[in-house]
Amino acid sequence: MNPALSQIGQQMSQLTGVRAIMKDIIETLRLNRGQDLINLSAGNPLIIPEVEQLWRDCTHELMASPEFGQVVCRYGTSQGYEPLIAAVVDDFNRRYGLNLTERNVLVTPGSQAIYFFAANAFGGLSANGELKKVVLPLSPEYTGYGGVSLSPNTVVAYRPRLEIFEADHTFKYRPDFQQLHIDETTGCVIFSRPCNPTGNVLTDVEVRQIADLAVPYGVPVLIDAAYGPPYPSLNFTELAPVFGGNIVHCLSLSKAGLPGERVGIAIGDREILSVLEAFQTNACIHASRYGQAIAALAIANGALAEVSVNVIRPFYQRKFTVLEETLRTALPNDIPWFLHRGEGAIFAWLWLRDLPMTDWEVYQHLKRAGVIVVPGSSFFPGLTEPWRHKQECLRISLTASDEDIVLGMQRLAATITQVYQESPSRSYSNVLT
């Protein structure tokens, strides 16, 4: 059957970003089953024993509680499970000196749902027919933002400034406030902190500057803190959440060990959240109450914040160090490679300046060498201007064993070295010596 699709149906049936290449990755893994193929493409967090045990313990506590039937056998409110909301309010007020009430919190089925609701409640065609943009202040960004809008051409991203540290083969993205444009045509602003895919962390000053640009136009600014503190605390540099005014702070418990339960938490102005809650009511009623209930226990007793800082963060930070040290040993100094400074998240982002071929072609070479990464051009949603940099980057997942990361990076280094050496012209701009 080939049903006719509406405009929205056509828009939403198209795969974007990483999802568009997952079919190829899955097929590659299937055809090479049993062979020595290292998969460094996934964003699926590893199962860490201490984290799994935390959720087992909370599940046992919930099952032994008289509340169990009310949680799994009854519908709840669209705003979220009341004990979870109370636990978040108490924890954030104590931890950050806030004055939140229960009306400042909304629970959704994963944080992706928050951005979908916001992009279509505040972005898209307005009542007077004007197209309201969803602005990504700097790119590359989370690939999932490319598919959040029901209206085409709504998501707009801005090219960043690059701080390049030639001596140690690292670099960092910065928002370019000379280019960033927020005005009456802006519906909302979204950015991740720490960033998927790059691990970049915007400073408090940069966050405030973005929020301040949006204030005169009444534009909500959603900060995607899926990797931020206090859970899962996958920040490798100092990072404090920024609250207040038009800012909506968005959490996810996926990287804190609950990706299967889809628990997202939005914290912000009650008027903004009431719009998103109404959208959620129409879309799916409410998020899974089982996931919310065990999360409420883990937040209320402090166990989730503790395991985030003492287990999850050092686990992935060590893996980034392993990857970085392997690349420094295996990649020649005269190749212009740059690793984005590891400030958080569960990925490494590699820039290959003056790459003699596209990132997709490198992806194919790497598959033949026995390692799978993700082409970086998948992570520039909304950035339509030509920019060679978009075809020069790779995202490398840290969700593998240390041994696989080392071997994968050795294979990657050998492949990249060969690619540059076989280039018809070896005159790279600003070649390192």
Side-chain angles (χ1 to χ4, degrees):
M1 183 177 178
N2 187 24
L5 298 178
S6 66
Q7 289 183 351
I8 290 176
Q10 291 176 350
Q11 173 80 4
M12 298 306 290
S13 63
Q14 301 301 310
L15 295 177
T16 61
V18 173
R19 293 293 176 182
I21 69 164
M22 283 307 296
K23 182 178 179 180
D24 181 74
I25 292 174
I26 292 170
E27 185 68 10
T28 299
L29 293 170
R30 185 185 67 81
L31 293 175
N32 291 273
R33 187 173 293 137
Q35 298 184 24
D36 183 20
L37 190 61
I38 298 172
N39 183 9
L40 300 178
S41 68
N44 218 2
L46 290 171
I47 298 176
I48 304 173
E50 297 93 330
V51 179
E52 182 184 16
Q53 189 60 51
L54 167 64
W55 296 121
R56 284 182 181 274
D57 292 344
C58 291
T59 295
H60 291 155
E61 184 176 346
L62 174 63
M63 291 179 68
S65 166
E67 184 73 6
F68 178 80
Q70 291 295 321
V71 168
V72 300
C73 302
R74 305 280 293 176
Y75 288 112
T77 68
S78 293
Q79 185 186 355
Y81 181 57
E82 293 88 343
L84 174 58
I85 292 172
V88 170
V89 168
D90 291 345
D91 189 39
F92 273 69
N93 284 345
R94 176 184 54 80
R95 193 180 298 275
Y96 301 115
L98 303 175
N99 293 298
L100 302 175
T101 72
E102 72 282 355
R103 295 307 304 166
N104 296 117
V105 178
L106 172 68
V107 184
T108 64
S111 60
Q112 176 83 11
I114 301 173
Y115 315 123
F116 179 75
F117 299 157
N120 295 289
F122 306 118
L125 290 178
S126 66
N128 62 10
E130 179 184 35
L131 184 63
K132 292 282 191 175
K133 300 289 187 178
V134 176
V135 169
L136 314 181
L138 77 166
S139 189
E141 253 295 5
Y142 171 49
T143 183
Y145 300 151
V148 295
S149 177
L150 295 171
S151 302
N153 306 314
T154 300
V155 178
V156 175
Y158 289 88
R159 181 169 160 174
R161 292 189 300 108
L162 275 65
E163 283 187 356
I164 303 172
F165 307 94
E166 302 272 358
D168 66 355
H169 289 277
T170 63
F171 79 110
K172 178 176 171 61
Y173 294 114
R174 297 281 188 189
D176 186 350
F177 289 102
Q178 298 292 325
Q179 302 295 325
L180 178 58
H181 193 62
I182 298 173
D183 61 15
E184 64 278 353
T185 67
T186 305
C188 65
V189 176
I190 308 175
F191 60 88
S192 57
R193 184 183 187 241
C195 177
N196 170 4
T198 66
N200 189 32
V201 172
L202 272 65
T203 67
D204 289 359
V205 172
E206 290 167 339
V207 171
R208 289 291 185 192
Q209 191 168 350
I210 292 169
D212 288 346
L213 288 173
V215 167
Y217 306 102
V219 170
V221 174
L222 290 91
I223 301 178
D224 180 351
Y227 298 91
Y231 8 84
S233 284
L234 273 165
N235 53 298
F236 308 151
T237 186
E238 286 297 318
L239 190 165
V242 178
F243 302 96
N246 57 340
I247 293 174
V248 179
H249 185 75
C250 306
L251 301 176
S252 167
L253 299 187
S254 293
K255 303 310 183 289
L258 284 183
E261 284 307 301
R262 313 304 302 132
V263 180
I265 303 170
I267 302 171
D269 177 80
R270 65 180 65 191
E271 298 302 325
I272 297 174
L273 296 189
S274 67
V275 173
L276 303 183
E277 181 184 347
F279 205 116
Q280 172 162 273
T281 304
N282 288 319
C284 60
I285 305 179
H286 61 68
S288 161
R289 280 165 60 84
Y290 162 73
Q292 293 185 71
I294 61 174
L297 296 172
I299 291 172
N301 66 19
L304 183 55
E306 181 179 353
V307 80
S308 294
V309 171
N310 296 326
V311 177
I312 300 175
R313 178 192 290 165
F315 180 82
Y316 286 105
Q317 190 166 15
R318 185 188 71 251
K319 291 186 179 296
F320 184 88
T321 300
V322 168
L323 180 144
E324 183 175 33
E325 290 177 350
T326 305
L327 286 180
R328 291 194 183 283
T329 301
L331 273 171
N333 197 51
D334 66 344
I335 289 178
W337 64 273
F338 300 91
L339 189 66
H340 194 283
R341 293 199 159 174
E343 298 176 334
I346 61 174
F347 307 104
W349 181 257
L350 182 64
W351 171 34
L352 302 167
R353 188 171 63 193
D354 301 323
L355 184 64
M357 59 180 63
T358 69
D359 57 326
W360 282 84
E361 291 170 317
V362 170
Y363 163 72
Q364 299 295 341
H365 278 270
L366 288 171
K367 286 198 302 182
R368 290 192 288 272
V371 60
I372 301 178
V373 298
V374 179
S377 53
S378 307
F379 297 93
F380 293 84
L383 188 66
T384 57
E385 65 174 284
W387 187 25
R388 183 176 178 181
H389 184 85
K390 292 195 291 186
Q391 284 78 45
E392 295 180 334
C393 300
L394 302 171
R395 191 192 77 174
I396 306 162
S397 176
L398 303 177
T399 58
S401 68
D402 291 0
E403 293 76 17
D404 277 354
I405 290 174
V406 169
L407 183 55
M409 290 306 94
Q410 289 172 342
R411 292 177 180 179
L412 180 146
T415 302
I416 295 302
T417 300
Q418 185 177 8
V419 165
Y420 276 97
Q421 288 177 342
E422 293 180 354
S423 171
S425 172
R426 293 203 63 201
S427 58
Y428 318 130
S429 63
N430 299 318
V431 171
L432 301 174
T433 57

